[in-house]
């Protein structure tokens, strides 16, 4: 199988927490909601001025910078991206690889969802057809999803295209590496974004942490993604009592599991029913088919889906054998169809109800993968279970999982557990977002994440003429559902740039200029 959960928007947060070596803020700044220029200067913090700052440094920040440079006409001197990442796909690429996406594997994204290309043309399918001199990708797009599976681009092509565009817009000149500590309102308007520059090597008494720098900007953009990996209580307890070897998260490095299972027969328990679980299952199956492994796979679903489900015929999702099937994270209409229009009018519980209807754990349907699972069921090396894990313990180098199925408690003995239950979406777990909730006036939306309006302005955080914008997973639950996807990040960036243009802080891009800029993109001309 060749897809991955839309982590677009792990925009750096998994790798963007302030390090322990960051210097604490002086008390007169730490406890103040509004900062005076004089107090910041008195604290010895260097101040650098720039109109626009983006915090995160992953795909969300990259897409925002791309739109500002191409559509908004801003110079590199007018934008700064603050991040611990060295390039936009650093975290995304890592998570894709450890969750078992090969470089040539395909990610879970539409052909025209191109974070390197404002126009979506040529699509990934057209580009692949031209580069490989074959018509297959175009035919697949033509008949998907009725007569063929959805076309999805290769991971390597996405990485290459983003690197190309980053060089074209001079992204590295906008990047400032370090640990972002806080975003605070400034008396008189605008914001101070505090960052401790990143240094190589350990912090010691003779080599102390560098002094923080405050970027004074009119506007700030947050694209910090998920705070980190999700570790369920039973997994955390097991690690505290035993080790990190036998029970792992799908989004952390765990190649040792596959290596051990190739060397000797063993049993692995895979927990979860989404795209990460599908990807891990595919790796285990491929090791059996091609590597000679004799692995026995136990698959634990919290909710077992037996058939198509949904409130009515027009909102029904196919399902079976435990999985809920859907080509992408959301129905396509959330990006520009009826669902997007409908969500724009919903508040409170009404919005929650629609999210409940369209959300949930899903995975794409792939014919070859389904055939392999069926073979596993018939041969007995793949077996599905339904329930939840009550606790895990280690006995004689074997993991004992005590489960609570729908009826009775049972125990499973396995060699390894691979947990595929996803990523941590609690905004309180991200220090910058937590600080904004406490000091910046930020509020929560009906699903508990950042409350943004339809222009992706963070409500309650206005500072004079300044605005804070937010995009990505941290805004899930807002008026636009597909926020944590490539296309969702592009739509958010488009809305932000349009709002900036309306405020007189960047250019509008009309049809003539859009055509000119596309030719610059197509020819690789640096801007």
């Amino acid at each position: 199988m060749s897809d991955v959960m839309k982590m677009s928007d792990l925009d750096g947060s998994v790798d963007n927490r302030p390090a322990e070596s960051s210097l604490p803020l002086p008390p007169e700044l730490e406890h103040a909601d509004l900062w005076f220029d004089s107090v910041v200067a008195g604290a010895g913090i260097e101040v650098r001025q720039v109109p626009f700052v983006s915090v995160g440094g992953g795909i969300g920040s990259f897409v925002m910078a791309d739109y500002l440079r191409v559509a908004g006409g801003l110079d590199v001197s007018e934008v700064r991206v603050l991040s611990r990442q060295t390039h936009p796909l650093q975290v995304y690429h890592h998570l894709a690889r450890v969750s078992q996406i090969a470089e040539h594997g395909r990610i879970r994204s539409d052909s025209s969802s191109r974070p390197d290309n404002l126009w979506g043309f040529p699509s990934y399918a057209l580009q692949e057809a031209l580069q490989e001199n074959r018509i297959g990708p175009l035919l697949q797009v033509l008949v998907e999803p009725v007569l063929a599976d959805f076309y999805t681009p290769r991971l390597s092509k996405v990485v290459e295209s983003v690197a190309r565009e980053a060089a074209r817009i001079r992204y590295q000149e906008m990047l400032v590496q370090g640990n972002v500590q806080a975003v605070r309102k400034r008396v008189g308007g605008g914001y101070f974004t505090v960052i401790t520059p990143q240094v190589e090597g350990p912090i010691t008494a003779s080599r102390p942490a560098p002094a923080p720098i405050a970027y004074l900007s009119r506007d700030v953009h947050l694209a910090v993604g998920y705070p980190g990996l999700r570790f369920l209580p039973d997994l955390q307890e097991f690690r505290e009592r035993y080790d990190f070897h036998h029970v792992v998260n799908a989004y952390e490095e765990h190649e040792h599991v596959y290596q051990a299972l190739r060397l000797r027969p063993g049993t692995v328990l895979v927990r979860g029913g989404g795209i990460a679980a599908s990807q891990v299952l595919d790796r285990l199956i491929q090791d059996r088919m091609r590597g000679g492994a004799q692995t026995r796979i136990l698959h634990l679903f919290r909710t077992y889906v037996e058939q198509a489900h949904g409130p009515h015929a027009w909102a029904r999702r196919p399902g079976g054998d435990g999985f809920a099937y859907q080509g992408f994270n959301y129905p396509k209409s959330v990006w520009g169809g009826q669902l997007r229009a409908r969500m724009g009018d919903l508040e409170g519980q009404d919005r929650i109800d629609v999210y409940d209807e369209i959300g949930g754990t899903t995975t794409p349907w792939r014919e070859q993968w389904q055939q392999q699972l069926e073979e596993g069921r018939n041969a007995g090396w793949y077996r599905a279970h339904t329930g939840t894990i009550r606790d895990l313990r280690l006995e004689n180098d074997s993991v004992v999982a005590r489960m609570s199925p729908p009826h009775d408690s049972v125990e499973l003995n396995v060699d390894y557990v691979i947990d595929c239950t996803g990523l941590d979406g609690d905004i309180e777990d991200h220090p910058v977002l937590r600080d904004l909730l406490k000091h910046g006036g930020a509020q929560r939306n009906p699903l508990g994440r950042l409350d943004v309006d339809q222009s992706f302005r963070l409500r309650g955080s206005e500072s004079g003429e300044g605005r804070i914008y937010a995009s990505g997973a941290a805004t899930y639950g807002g008026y636009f559902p597909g926020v944590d996807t490539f296309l969702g990040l592009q739509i958010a960036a488009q809305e932000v740039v349009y709002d900036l243009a309306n405020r007189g802080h960047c250019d509008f891009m009309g049809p003539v200029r859009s055509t000119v800029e596309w030719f610059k993109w197509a020819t690789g001309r640096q801007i």
Side-chain angles (χ1 to χ4, degrees):
M1 195 171 194
S2 29
D3 303 281
V4 70
M5 175 183 180
K6 262 309 187 204
M7 297 169 296
S8 334
D9 320 282
L10 278 165
D11 269 350
S13 61
V14 169
D15 190 45
N16 199 38
R17 298 181 179 218
E20 293 180 0
S21 57
S22 297
L23 295 176
L25 294 171
E28 61 270 25
L29 296 178
E30 176 65 34
H31 304 295
D33 295 344
L34 291 170
W35 287 6
F36 288 88
D37 293 351
S38 58
V39 177
V40 175
I45 298 176
E46 178 187 352
V47 177
R48 300 176 182 176
Q49 294 192 35
V50 63
F52 193 96
V53 164
S54 180
V55 178
I59 304 176
S61 288
F62 166 75
V63 168
M64 188 74 255
D66 197 36
Y67 268 80
L68 289 170
R69 296 278 286 118
V70 177
L74 297 189
D75 186 74
V76 290
S77 63
E78 299 178 275
V79 182
R80 286 293 176 268
V81 176
L82 312 185
S83 173
R84 289 181 65 191
Q85 297 192 59
T86 59
H87 57 86
L89 285 178
Q90 182 176 344
V91 170
Y92 178 86
H93 195 193
H94 170 73
L95 292 175
R97 295 293 293 114
V98 298
S99 63
Q100 305 312 304
I101 301 291
E103 289 295 331
H104 65 277
R106 298 185 183 275
I107 66 171
R108 192 182 187 183
S109 187
D110 186 62
S111 174
S112 60
S113 298
R114 299 196 54 160
D116 67 306
N117 184 336
L118 276 63
W119 305 268
F121 177 82
S123 67
Y124 280 120
L126 178 56
Q127 176 179 292
E128 183 177 326
L130 293 173
Q131 290 178 342
E132 300 181 6
N133 194 28
R134 61 190 184 92
I135 199 172
L138 297 179
L139 292 178
Q140 184 175 352
V141 170
L142 179 65
V143 300
E144 68 177 17
V146 179
L147 300 179
D149 295 333
F150 278 109
Y151 171 89
T152 52
R154 299 186 189 279
L155 174 61
S156 59
K157 295 303 180 183
V158 174
V159 173
E160 291 170 7
S161 64
V162 169
R164 173 185 180 272
E165 181 68 358
R168 196 182 75 87
I169 65 171
R170 297 151 62 192
Y171 181 81
Q172 289 299 319
E173 296 180 39
M174 296 180 276
L175 178 64
V176 178
Q177 287 187 264
N179 306 308
V180 178
Q181 294 179 251
V183 178
R184 295 290 180 91
K185 296 179 181 180
R186 170 183 176 266
V187 175
Y191 306 89
F192 290 104
T193 302
V194 182
I195 182 173
T196 302
Q198 192 163 303
V199 295
E200 298 295 333
I203 302 300
T204 63
S206 60
R207 192 170 179 270
I213 297 170
Y215 277 85
L216 172 57
S217 64
R218 181 192 60 245
D219 300 307
V220 174
H221 169 241
L222 304 171
V224 295
Y226 293 91
L229 307 182
R230 177 187 297 164
F231 293 100
L232 296 180
D234 55 83
L235 188 152
Q236 292 177 324
E237 182 179 353
F238 180 93
R239 290 187 159 192
E240 291 171 1
R241 294 175 60 189
Y242 303 108
D243 60 40
F244 287 70
H245 180 78
H246 290 84
V247 179
V248 299
N249 186 291
Y251 290 113
E252 64 182 342
E253 191 66 58
H254 61 283
E255 184 64 25
H256 68 277
V257 174
Y258 307 103
Q259 292 178 354
L261 292 171
R262 283 200 303 269
L263 293 175
R264 62 179 177 83
T267 302
V268 61
L269 175 63
V270 178
R271 172 164 61 176
I275 184 59
S278 302
Q279 212 47 74
V280 167
L281 288 171
D282 184 61
R283 169 65 187 275
L284 293 168
I285 292 171
Q286 293 303 321
D287 283 352
R288 280 189 61 95
M289 299 294 185
R290 300 174 184 175
Q294 298 297 309
T295 306
R296 181 169 172 257
I297 304 170
L298 305 182
H299 188 185
L300 179 62
F301 293 94
R302 184 177 60 181
T303 302
Y304 192 88
V305 180
E306 297 183 353
Q307 58 188 2
H309 56 287
H312 50 78
W314 302 110
R316 189 155 295 165
R317 179 185 292 146
D321 300 315
F323 296 95
Y325 297 116
Q326 187 165 276
F328 304 107
N329 293 37
Y330 308 96
K332 275 196 168 184
S333 59
V334 304
W335 288 284
Q338 292 179 341
L339 270 177
R340 184 181 179 188
R342 178 185 175 193
M343 290 295 290
D345 297 325
L346 298 180
E347 302 288 349
Q349 187 61 46
D350 291 335
R351 199 191 307 169
I352 294 174
D353 291 342
V354 175
Y355 269 95
D356 289 341
E357 180 181 317
I358 66 175
T361 302
T362 64
T363 191
W365 193 92
R366 293 287 183 264
E367 183 176 0
Q368 181 181 3
W369 183 65
Q370 293 298 327
Q371 292 173 350
Q372 292 170 340
L373 285 181
E374 184 62 27
E375 180 180 334
R377 294 185 194 97
N378 295 334
W381 51 260
Y382 172 82
R383 190 172 67 191
H385 295 267
T386 307
T388 57
I389 294 178
R390 295 179 62 183
D391 64 68
L392 298 165
R393 66 182 187 273
L394 190 64
E395 293 184 359
N396 300 321
D397 204 38
S398 177
V399 180
V400 179
R402 188 157 63 102
M403 302 192 337
S404 295
H407 303 295
D408 302 316
S409 179
V410 298
E411 290 188 348
L412 299 176
N413 287 69
V414 299
D415 294 287
Y416 299 97
V417 175
I418 304 178
D419 186 89
C420 306
T421 54
L423 301 156
D424 180 14
D426 188 351
I427 59 176
E428 280 278 358
D429 290 338
H430 195 286
V432 174
L433 303 187
R434 183 172 61 246
D435 188 80
L436 278 168
L437 290 170
K438 183 177 181 180
H439 295 286
Q443 303 169 27
R444 292 178 181 269
N445 65 32
L447 291 184
R449 302 197 194 177
L450 293 179
D451 186 22
V452 297
D453 65 17
Q454 297 199 39
S455 294
F456 293 89
R457 296 184 185 182
L458 184 60
R459 284 176 168 156
S461 64
E462 300 82 4
S463 179
E465 290 189 358
R467 298 291 182 269
I468 295 180
Y469 298 94
S471 60
T475 64
Y476 179 78
Y479 297 105
F480 176 59
V483 288
D484 55 337
T485 65
F486 285 166
L487 187 55
L489 290 171
Q490 289 182 284
I491 290 172
Q494 180 176 290
E495 294 291 343
V496 171
V497 170
Y498 186 76
D499 190 61
L500 288 170
N502 278 328
R503 293 169 55 206
H505 300 313
C506 72
D507 297 335
F508 287 99
M509 187 169 72
V512 174
R513 183 159 159 258
S514 178
T515 303
V516 171
E517 292 295 335
W518 182 87
F519 275 104
K520 290 180 182 179
W521 176 90
T523 57
R525 178 180 168 184
Q526 191 177 71
I527 59 174

Coordinates of all heavy atoms in Angstrom, one line a residue, residues 281 285 288-289 295-297 299 301 304-306 319-323 325 365-385:
L281 N 0.9 -2.6 8.1 CA 0.5 -4.0 7.7 C 1.1 -4.3 6.3 O 1.5 -5.4 6.1 CB -1.0 -4.0 7.6 CG -1.8 -4.1 8.9 CD1 -3.3 -3.9 8.7 CD2 -1.5 -5.3 9.7
I285 N 3.4 -7.5 5.4 CA 3.0 -8.4 4.4 C 4.1 -8.5 3.3 O 4.4 -9.6 2.9 CB 1.7 -8.0 3.8 CG1 0.5 -8.1 4.8 CG2 1.3 -8.8 2.5 CD1 -0.8 -7.5 4.4
R288 N 6.8 -10.7 4.4 CA 6.4 -12.1 4.2 C 6.5 -12.6 2.8 O 7.1 -13.6 2.5 CB 5.0 -12.4 4.7 CG 4.8 -12.5 6.2 CD 3.3 -12.9 6.5 NE 3.1 -14.2 5.9 CZ 3.2 -15.4 6.6 NH1 3.6 -15.4 7.9 NH2 3.0 -16.5 6.0
M289 N 6.0 -11.8 1.9 CA 5.9 -12.1 0.4 C 7.3 -12.1 -0.2 O 7.6 -13.0 -1.0 CB 5.0 -11.2 -0.3 CG 3.6 -11.1 0.2 SD 2.7 -12.7 -0.1 CE 1.1 -12.3 0.5
T295 N 6.1 -14.0 9.8 CA 5.4 -13.2 10.8 C 3.9 -13.6 10.9 O 3.2 -13.6 9.9 CB 5.6 -11.7 10.5 OG1 7.0 -11.5 10.4 CG2 5.0 -10.9 11.7
R296 N 3.4 -13.7 12.1 CA 2.0 -13.8 12.4 C 1.5 -12.5 12.8 O 2.0 -11.9 13.7 CB 1.7 -14.9 13.4 CG 0.3 -15.1 13.8 CD 0.1 -16.4 14.6 NE -1.2 -16.6 15.1 CZ -1.6 -16.3 16.4 NH1 -0.7 -15.8 17.2 NH2 -2.8 -16.5 16.7
I297 N 0.4 -12.0 12.2 CA -0.1 -10.6 12.4 C -1.4 -10.7 13.1 O -2.4 -11.3 12.6 CB -0.2 -9.8 11.1 CG1 1.1 -9.8 10.3 CG2 -0.7 -8.4 11.3 CD1 1.0 -9.3 8.9
H299 N -4.3 -8.1 14.5 CA -4.7 -6.7 14.2 C -5.8 -6.3 15.1 O -6.9 -6.9 15.1 CB -5.1 -6.5 12.7 CG -5.3 -5.1 12.3 ND1 -5.8 -4.8 11.1 CD2 -5.1 -3.9 13.0 CE1 -5.9 -3.5 11.0 NE2 -5.5 -2.9 12.1
F301 N -8.7 -3.7 16.3 CA -9.5 -2.6 16.0 C -10.3 -2.1 17.2 O -10.8 -3.0 18.0 CB -10.6 -2.9 14.9 CG -10.0 -3.2 13.5 CD1 -9.7 -4.5 13.2 CD2 -9.8 -2.2 12.6 CE1 -9.2 -4.8 11.9 CE2 -9.3 -2.5 11.4 CZ -9.0 -3.8 11.0
Y304 N -14.9 -2.2 14.9 CA -14.8 -3.1 13.8 C -15.9 -2.7 12.8 O -17.1 -2.7 13.1 CB -14.9 -4.5 14.2 CG -14.6 -5.5 13.1 CD1 -13.3 -5.9 12.9 CD2 -15.5 -6.0 12.2 CE1 -12.9 -6.8 11.9 CE2 -15.2 -6.9 11.2 CZ -13.9 -7.3 11.1 OH -13.6 -8.2 10.1
V305 N -15.5 -2.2 11.6 CA -16.5 -1.8 10.6 C -16.7 -3.0 9.7 O -15.8 -3.5 9.0 CB -15.9 -0.6 9.7 CG1 -16.9 -0.2 8.7 CG2 -15.6 0.5 10.7
E306 N -18.0 -3.4 9.6 CA -18.4 -4.6 8.8 C -18.9 -4.3 7.4 O -18.9 -5.1 6.6 CB -19.4 -5.4 9.6 CG -18.9 -6.0 10.9 CD -19.9 -6.9 11.6 OE1 -21.0 -6.9 11.1 OE2 -19.5 -7.5 12.6
G319 N -17.1 0.2 3.8 CA -16.3 -0.4 4.8 C -16.4 -1.9 4.8 O -17.2 -2.4 4.1
G320 N -15.5 -2.5 5.5 CA -15.6 -4.0 5.6 C -14.3 -4.5 6.2 O -13.2 -3.8 6.2
D321 N -14.3 -5.7 6.8 CA -13.2 -6.3 7.4 C -12.5 -5.5 8.5 O -11.3 -5.5 8.7 CB -12.2 -6.7 6.3 CG -12.7 -7.7 5.3 OD1 -13.4 -8.6 5.7 OD2 -12.5 -7.5 4.1
G322 N -13.3 -4.6 9.1 CA -12.8 -3.7 10.2 C -12.4 -2.3 9.7 O -12.3 -1.4 10.6
F323 N -12.2 -2.1 8.4 CA -11.7 -0.8 7.9 C -12.9 0.1 7.4 O -13.9 -0.4 6.8 CB -10.8 -1.0 6.8 CG -9.5 -1.7 7.2 CD1 -9.4 -3.0 7.0 CD2 -8.4 -1.0 7.7 CE1 -8.2 -3.7 7.3 CE2 -7.2 -1.6 8.0 CZ -7.1 -3.0 7.8
Y325 N -13.3 2.8 4.6 CA -12.5 3.2 3.4 C -12.9 4.6 2.9 O -14.1 4.9 2.7 CB -12.8 2.2 2.3 CG -12.3 0.8 2.6 CD1 -13.2 -0.3 2.8 CD2 -11.0 0.5 2.9 CE1 -12.8 -1.6 3.1 CE2 -10.5 -0.8 3.2 CZ -11.4 -1.8 3.3 OH -11.0 -3.0 3.7
W365 N -8.9 2.3 -0.1 CA -9.0 0.9 -0.5 C -8.1 0.6 -1.7 O -8.0 1.4 -2.6 CB -10.5 0.7 -1.0 CG -10.8 -0.8 -1.2 CD1 -11.4 -1.6 -0.3 CD2 -10.7 -1.5 -2.4 NE1 -11.6 -2.8 -0.8 CE2 -11.2 -2.8 -2.2 CE3 -10.1 -1.3 -3.7 CZ2 -11.2 -3.8 -3.1 CZ3 -10.1 -2.3 -4.6 CH2 -10.6 -3.5 -4.3
R366 N -7.3 -0.4 -1.5 CA -6.3 -0.8 -2.6 C -6.5 -2.2 -2.9 O -6.4 -3.1 -2.0 CB -4.9 -0.5 -2.1 CG -4.5 1.0 -1.9 CD -4.4 1.7 -3.3 NE -4.0 3.1 -3.1 CZ -4.9 4.1 -3.1 NH1 -6.2 3.9 -3.2 NH2 -4.4 5.3 -3.0
E367 N -6.7 -2.6 -4.2 CA -7.1 -3.9 -4.6 C -6.0 -4.9 -4.2 O -6.3 -6.0 -3.6 CB -7.3 -3.9 -6.1 CG -7.8 -5.3 -6.6 CD -8.1 -5.3 -8.1 OE1 -8.0 -4.2 -8.7 OE2 -8.5 -6.3 -8.6
Q368 N -4.8 -4.7 -4.5 CA -3.7 -5.6 -4.3 C -3.6 -5.9 -2.8 O -3.4 -7.0 -2.3 CB -2.4 -5.1 -4.8 CG -1.2 -6.1 -4.6 CD 0.1 -5.6 -5.1 OE1 0.2 -4.4 -5.6 NE2 1.2 -6.3 -5.0
W369 N -3.6 -4.8 -2.0 CA -3.5 -5.0 -0.5 C -4.7 -5.8 0.0 O -4.5 -6.6 0.9 CB -3.5 -3.6 0.1 CG -3.3 -3.5 1.5 CD1 -2.2 -3.9 2.2 CD2 -4.2 -3.0 2.5 NE1 -2.4 -3.7 3.6 CE2 -3.6 -3.1 3.7 CE3 -5.5 -2.5 2.4 CZ2 -4.2 -2.7 4.9 CZ3 -6.1 -2.0 3.6 CH2 -5.5 -2.2 4.8
Q370 N -5.9 -5.6 -0.5 CA -7.0 -6.4 0.0 C -6.8 -7.8 -0.3 O -7.2 -8.7 0.5 CB -8.3 -5.8 -0.7 CG -8.7 -4.4 -0.3 CD -9.0 -4.3 1.2 OE1 -9.5 -5.3 1.8 NE2 -8.7 -3.2 1.8
Q371 N -6.3 -8.1 -1.5 CA -6.1 -9.5 -1.8 C -5.0 -10.2 -0.9 O -5.2 -11.3 -0.5 CB -5.6 -9.6 -3.3 CG -6.6 -9.2 -4.3 CD -6.0 -9.1 -5.7 OE1 -4.8 -9.2 -5.9 NE2 -6.9 -9.0 -6.7
Q372 N -4.0 -9.4 -0.5 CA -3.0 -10.0 0.4 C -3.6 -10.2 1.8 O -3.3 -11.2 2.4 CB -1.9 -9.0 0.5 CG -1.1 -8.9 -0.8 CD -0.1 -7.7 -0.8 OE1 -0.2 -6.8 0.0 NE2 0.9 -7.8 -1.6
L373 N -4.5 -9.3 2.3 CA -5.1 -9.5 3.6 C -6.0 -10.8 3.5 O -6.1 -11.5 4.5 CB -5.9 -8.3 4.0 CG -5.1 -7.1 4.5 CD1 -6.1 -6.0 4.8 CD2 -4.2 -7.5 5.7
E374 N -6.7 -10.9 2.4 CA -7.6 -12.1 2.3 C -6.8 -13.4 2.3 O -7.2 -14.4 2.9 CB -8.4 -12.0 1.0 CG -9.4 -13.1 0.8 CD -10.5 -13.1 1.9 OE1 -10.8 -12.0 2.5 OE2 -11.0 -14.2 2.2
E375 N -5.7 -13.3 1.6 CA -4.8 -14.5 1.7 C -4.3 -14.8 3.1 O -4.2 -16.0 3.5 CB -3.6 -14.3 0.8 CG -2.6 -15.4 0.7 CD -1.4 -15.2 -0.2 OE1 -1.6 -14.3 -1.1 OE2 -0.4 -15.8 0.0
G376 N -4.0 -13.8 3.8 CA -3.6 -13.9 5.2 C -4.7 -14.5 6.1 O -4.4 -15.4 7.0
R377 N -5.9 -14.1 5.9 CA -7.0 -14.6 6.7 C -7.2 -16.1 6.4 O -7.4 -16.9 7.3 CB -8.3 -13.9 6.4 CG -8.3 -12.4 6.8 CD -9.7 -11.8 6.5 NE -9.6 -10.4 6.6 CZ -9.5 -9.6 5.6 NH1 -9.5 -10.0 4.4 NH2 -9.4 -8.2 5.8
N378 N -7.1 -16.5 5.1 CA -7.3 -17.9 4.7 C -6.2 -18.8 5.2 O -6.4 -19.9 5.6 CB -7.4 -18.0 3.2 CG -8.7 -17.3 2.7 OD1 -9.7 -17.1 3.4 ND2 -8.6 -16.8 1.4
A379 N -4.9 -18.2 5.2 CA -3.8 -19.0 5.6 C -3.6 -19.0 7.1 O -2.8 -19.8 7.6 CB -2.5 -18.5 4.9
G380 N -4.3 -18.1 7.8 CA -4.2 -18.1 9.2 C -3.1 -17.2 9.8 O -2.9 -17.1 11.1
W381 N -2.3 -16.5 9.0 CA -1.2 -15.6 9.6 C -1.7 -14.2 9.8 O -0.9 -13.4 10.3 CB 0.0 -15.7 8.7 CG -0.1 -15.4 7.2 CD1 -0.2 -16.3 6.2 CD2 -0.2 -14.1 6.6 NE1 -0.3 -15.7 5.0 CE2 -0.3 -14.4 5.2 CE3 -0.2 -12.8 7.0 CZ2 -0.4 -13.3 4.3 CZ3 -0.3 -11.8 6.1 CH2 -0.4 -12.0 4.8
Y382 N -2.9 -13.9 9.4 CA -3.5 -12.5 9.7 C -4.8 -12.8 10.4 O -5.7 -13.5 9.9 CB -3.7 -11.7 8.5 CG -4.5 -10.4 8.7 CD1 -3.8 -9.3 9.2 CD2 -5.8 -10.3 8.5 CE1 -4.5 -8.1 9.5 CE2 -6.5 -9.2 8.8 CZ -5.9 -8.1 9.2 OH -6.6 -6.9 9.5
R383 N -5.0 -12.2 11.6 CA -6.3 -12.3 12.3 C -6.6 -11.0 13.0 O -5.8 -10.3 13.6 CB -6.2 -13.4 13.4 CG -7.5 -13.8 14.0 CD -7.4 -15.0 14.9 NE -6.6 -14.7 16.1 CZ -6.1 -15.6 16.9 NH1 -6.3 -16.9 16.7 NH2 -5.4 -15.3 18.0
A384 N -7.9 -10.6 12.8 CA -8.3 -9.3 13.4 C -9.1 -9.6 14.7 O -9.7 -10.6 14.9 CB -9.3 -8.6 12.4
H385 N -8.9 -8.6 15.6 CA -9.6 -8.6 16.9 C -10.2 -7.3 17.1 O -9.8 -6.2 16.5 CB -8.6 -8.9 18.1 CG -7.9 -10.2 18.0 ND1 -8.4 -11.3 18.7 CD2 -6.8 -10.6 17.4 CE1 -7.7 -12.3 18.5 NE2 -6.7 -12.0 17.7

